[in-house]
Amino acid sequence: MLNLGWRHRLSALASVALAVSILRRRPAAALAALVALAVLNRAFYGLLARRLGPTGAAGGVGLHALHHLSAVAAAAIGAAAGSRAARGPQRPRRARRSADPVEAARLGRRVGRRDRERARALVGGEPGSASAHEERRPHSSKASPGSDRR
């Protein structure tokens, strides 16, 4: 957990700066953030060096930076969850449309002509045959030859 003291907050900020500068391939900024992290936590890193040696201390610095990054991420997620909870209950979201035309047709959703043909081909229907729904709807705005339009 991220402590609330200024030294710990600044260490977390230095860890974030270190991660961002590494991702952006900025070695000077990464070195500056690493030095800031080392200065802020010199007593802890000195203890690690005495107990674990230089290699163990170097690993400890990396793990400590990772600890700060996970704490920052947890604080951000917690703040977002708290903000969402403070807004009250949300309306239920609409179900997403299925990208699979066979699944959409099975659920009775509207699908495009190409997707209908693909769905019929996949389930064994003939691509040229029309469904009952398509037979009722004319494809053009012109009336069929035997209809009485007024």
Side-chain angles (χ1 to χ4, degrees):
M1 175 156 189
L2 185 62
N3 291 319
L4 298 178
W6 282 106
R7 186 173 52 87
H8 299 286
R9 291 180 191 182
L10 291 173
S11 294
L13 181 64
S15 297
V16 170
L18 176 64
V20 169
S21 60
I22 288 172
L23 290 175
R24 289 188 168 192
R25 296 182 180 165
R26 310 255 188 219
L31 183 62
L34 186 62
V35 167
L37 188 63
V39 168
L40 288 166
N41 297 291
R42 64 185 170 274
F44 176 60
Y45 297 150
L47 173 69
L48 289 179
R50 285 189 303 276
R51 297 267 175 109
L52 303 175
T55 307
V61 171
L63 288 173
H64 197 220
L66 186 63
H67 161 75
H68 283 297
L69 291 173
S70 65
V72 168
I77 292 169
S83 168
R84 186 177 176 120
R87 284 185 274 161
Q90 302 290 316
R91 342 181 278 191
R93 297 179 73 178
R94 289 181 62 186
R96 297 177 89 183
R97 294 181 68 182
S98 174
D100 181 22
V102 174
E103 180 69 12
R106 187 183 69 77
L107 295 173
R109 294 192 183 125
R110 294 185 65 176
V111 292
R113 179 181 53 85
R114 289 182 185 169
D115 289 338
R116 272 194 304 275
E117 290 173 358
R118 180 172 170 251
R120 275 192 223 105
L122 289 172
V123 295
E126 295 179 25
S129 68
S131 68
H133 178 68
E134 290 174 330
E135 289 174 2
R136 282 185 266 138
R137 288 181 34 184
H139 291 289
S140 66
S141 62
K142 296 180 183 177
S144 58
S147 68
D148 293 339
R149 289 189 72 168
R150 295 180 192 179

